[in-house]
Each structure stands twice: as C-alpha cells, then as structure tokens.
Amino acid sequence: MIILIRHAQSEGNKNREIHQTVPDHRVKLTPEGWKQAEAAGLKLRSLLRPDDTLHFFTSPYRRTRETTEGILNALTSSNPAPSPFPRHTIKVYEEPRLREQDFGNFQPGSSEMARMWSERAEYGHFFYRIPNGESAADAYDRVSGFNDTLWRSFGEDDFASVCVLVTHGLMTRVFLMKWYHFSVEYFEDLRNVDHCEFVVMKRSRENQKYILQNELRTWSEMRREREEQKEPESPIPVRKRWVGSLDGYEIEPGRRQARRQNTVEMFADDAPDVERVKETNAKGEVEKKSRGTMATTSTQSSNRYDLGYARSETTQRGLPSRLKQSPRRLDIPEEGRDGGGSRSGAPSRTGSEASDGPSRPPPHNSMAKALHGQLNRDTSPYRARANTLGDQSEDDEGETP
C-alpha cells in the first residue's frame, strides 16, 4: 500500500509574506500544524495491520520533516496502549525529488506575487515556469525518476508493505499524474489536497496494480455543485404589490383597492349641479345641430346663382335677419356662364366691358382665347370654336373677334 500525505499547516500557509524574508525550505509548522500531524499519526495507526512494515519517504523541506516527526510520535506512542510499531523498525528516507515546486529564491512583494499567480492561472499551472524557479512540468520530470526508483524497490525482499510519502500538495498531484497517466487537462482541473489528507493506493491481489481509493476533487465539479445549489429562477416574474398612499389614504398589504369612479358618481351628492350640467350639455348639442343645419343651407344656397339676382326667399330663410335682403339686382359685375363676360358673345347684364369691377387678365393660351372669342381662325384653322360651349350664335361665325 502507498499513502501520500501532504504536510500540515505551515507559517507560509497563514502568512504568504513570510516567503519574502524566510527561504521556502525553512518554513516551519504552526502549533495547529503540529496538532494536525499528530492526528494524522493516530489515523495511520488505525489503518495499519499489526504485522505491517513501514518505509517513509519525505521531502527535505522543514515543514514536511516536522510533519513526519509528528506522525511518528503519535504512531509509535504507548499512549493509550503500547504501539505495535516501534520507532526503530520504521525506516525514514529523505528524498529531494519529492520537494516542493521551486518558486524561486525570496519571493517578491504581494502585488508582484498576485500578478504572477494571475498570470500562472491564465497560462496554465502545468507549463507556467516561475521566474527563477520551475514549472509543474519540471517537477513532473523529477517525480518520474522517483517513481522508477520506487518500482525497482518493490522487488527487494526487505521492502516494506506500506510506503508513506510525506510531500506537498502539488507534488501529490504530479505523482498521481505520472502514476495513473493523467492528462494535462485533468491535472489542471484537480484541486489541491488538504493538510495531512491521506491519498491511499492499494495493490490489487488479482493484477498487482495499485488502485486509487480516493475520489479526487475537481474545480469543474465544484462549479457544478454551486450551480445546482442556486435556486432556479421562475420564468414568470412575480407581480409585486404596491404599498403606499393614495389621496391621503393608506393602502395596506392584502387590502383590496377601491374601484375607480366616473365623474357622475363622484358628484352624486351634488344632484342639482349634475342636472344643470346635463341640461347645459343638451342645449349645447341642440345649438351645434342648429349651427350645422344653418351652415349646410347657407353653403347650398350660395352655390345657386340666379344670373345676378339676389338669393331666393327660400334661401334666405336660414340666414340671419341682417343678411336678409329684398329681391333686387346685386351691384356687382356679372360675367357670362363661362366666366368670359361680354367677350364670350353674350351681352353683359350689368353693363359694358368698361363697367366698374375688377379687371381680368388677358387670356394666355389657345383654349382661353377660344372661350373668349379672341383666337384668329385664319392663323389657327383648328382652334376650338366658341359655339361648342353654346355661348355664340350662328350669326357670329363670319365675324372676326
């Protein structure tokens, strides 16, 4: 059986700025970290059989060596009962190839480290190389060499039945990637293991292969769980009830709002006023109808000319008294039926061409001249004759206008 254990909590896990003044390999455990290491020793003791033999391989960093020491203290302790694993029977090897990924020497300030972590996340954890340090791919190469050494040790007669690797979080994932041939994409998706968490690999008796007993956590799974925990949004928006005041009256939640009233209902108490309004409206409608009838009659009457005579008595019935006149000739120049006056061939009823009245402009085209009898029939043999309109008599055919 192979057990990988990440180191316990260190001072660098609580305060990352410590790496600006303390080398990474000298960072020690916190008091909480020591407790975690001893708890890990008791857990390991419960997993082992009394006849198991142990080999420890630990990173040379101080925090991993202290974690190994705390595990061994609890594993070999006689409290509460004598331990089946005496300290002298356990072999411990310091393995530099299990060290943490090299993050350079003293790390820069917080702002620069934040920029570097952001760039690393965008570039990719496996191939991104830390300035003056190494990438996860570099750590993969040295872990590959350690795995080959471990495989060769399995054939030795005195090799232990249980191999414990005390290392770091990233190195645990890199070890599993090499052992189980994980892809780079799956490595990027793996989350880090917790402090003093056990990753157990048991060998199968059937095919002698080591089977991973843990279910590794991934970032994609965590995002999916968070999405599932969100409450589904209703496709139909919930109608919000308005709570406030209307015309000085407070509307309470759940209280049915009063029905809106029309104008008549609002002034129901003022019955005389309402009746007066109705009566006034009725009179207005009658007056509107009377004015409409008057306007229609006046318009129809104005279109009926009686060759210069005043409007008939029937037409004057719809006119005001000041517009009513006795039948007499209107004192305005009368033109012919075609609008041509005396030049059209019909005598004027109001006088000669020189009578008082507005002068008309001379005709400007052939049709107008024809209507007024001014077109020279000799120069224009095809002109329209005025008698086609019925305004010239046959006696005028031989005359030149």
Side-chain angles (χ1 to χ4, degrees), residues 126-308:
F126 187 76
F127 293 108
Y128 183 81
R129 178 174 282 108
I130 305 296
N132 299 323
E134 62 180 353
S135 64
D138 298 330
Y140 179 91
D141 294 339
R142 51 184 168 88
V143 166
S144 300
F146 172 75
N147 284 9
D148 295 340
T149 302
L150 194 61
W151 270 103
R152 290 191 296 268
S153 301
F154 288 162
E156 299 177 1
D157 297 337
D158 58 345
F159 192 78
S161 61
V162 177
C163 178
V164 181
L165 309 180
V166 183
T167 180
H168 307 267
L170 182 134
M171 297 308 298
T172 300
R173 288 175 284 155
V174 170
F175 181 91
L176 296 175
M177 179 182 181
K178 169 61 179 177
W179 195 280
Y180 293 106
H181 306 286
F182 292 161
S183 64
V184 175
E185 289 76 15
Y186 186 67
F187 172 83
E188 295 281 352
D189 195 29
L190 288 176
R191 296 173 58 189
N192 204 1
V193 295
D194 296 332
H195 295 293
C196 289
E197 181 180 354
F198 285 28
V199 179
V200 181
M201 303 164 56
K202 286 186 177 181
R203 186 171 61 179
S204 174
R205 295 182 180 181
E206 298 178 357
N207 52 17
Q208 301 301 314
K209 292 184 178 180
Y210 286 85
I211 309 300
L212 184 63
Q213 306 298 311
N214 299 67
E215 184 176 355
L216 302 179
R217 299 183 298 273
T218 59
W219 294 107
S220 59
E221 181 183 1
M222 184 185 69
R223 289 191 293 268
R224 184 170 56 253
E225 291 177 354
R226 289 181 177 179
E227 290 294 332
E228 293 176 354
Q229 292 177 358
K230 292 182 178 179
E231 296 183 0
E233 297 182 359
S234 176
I236 303 176
V238 180
R239 185 176 182 180
K240 298 182 178 180
R241 300 182 64 89
W242 180 81
V243 179
S245 60
L246 181 64
D247 296 336
Y249 295 95
E250 190 71 13
I251 298 179
E252 301 177 357
R255 181 178 178 180
R256 187 174 181 181
Q257 187 174 355
R259 181 177 61 86
R260 295 182 60 183
Q261 297 178 340
N262 54 32
T263 307
V264 177
E265 293 178 348
M266 292 176 62
F267 295 96
D269 296 337
D270 303 332
D273 295 338
V274 175
E275 295 298 331
R276 192 181 304 110
V277 170
K278 291 182 178 180
E279 182 179 355
T280 303
N281 292 340
K283 291 182 180 180
E285 293 296 332
V286 173
E287 292 179 359
K288 288 182 180 179
K289 292 181 180 179
S290 176
R291 286 196 296 269
T293 304
M294 182 187 304
T296 303
T297 305
S298 175
T299 303
Q300 294 175 354
S301 301
S302 62
N303 293 335
R304 293 196 294 269
Y305 290 95
D306 193 16
L307 298 177

Side-chain angles (χ1 to χ4, degrees), residues 7-61:
H7 64 81
Q9 184 189 68
S10 67
E11 293 180 346
N13 298 126
K14 294 190 63 177
N15 181 18
R16 293 186 177 182
E17 295 182 358
I18 195 174
H19 296 288
Q20 300 177 17
T21 56
V22 179
D24 192 21
H25 63 277
R26 293 182 182 175
V27 176
K28 59 184 180 180
L29 295 181
T30 61
E32 179 64 24
W34 279 103
K35 295 178 181 180
Q36 293 175 354
E38 293 176 356
L42 296 176
K43 180 180 179 179
L44 179 61
R45 183 172 176 175
S46 63
L47 291 176
L48 299 177
R49 296 174 302 179
D51 57 343
D52 281 333
T53 57
L54 293 170
H55 280 180
F56 275 77
F57 294 87
T58 180
S59 166
Y61 279 33

Side-chain angles (χ1 to χ4, degrees), residues 368-382:
K369 291 179 180 180
L371 294 175
H372 290 271
Q374 297 179 2
L375 188 62
N376 192 342
R377 64 168 61 108
D378 296 334
T379 59
S380 301
Y382 301 103

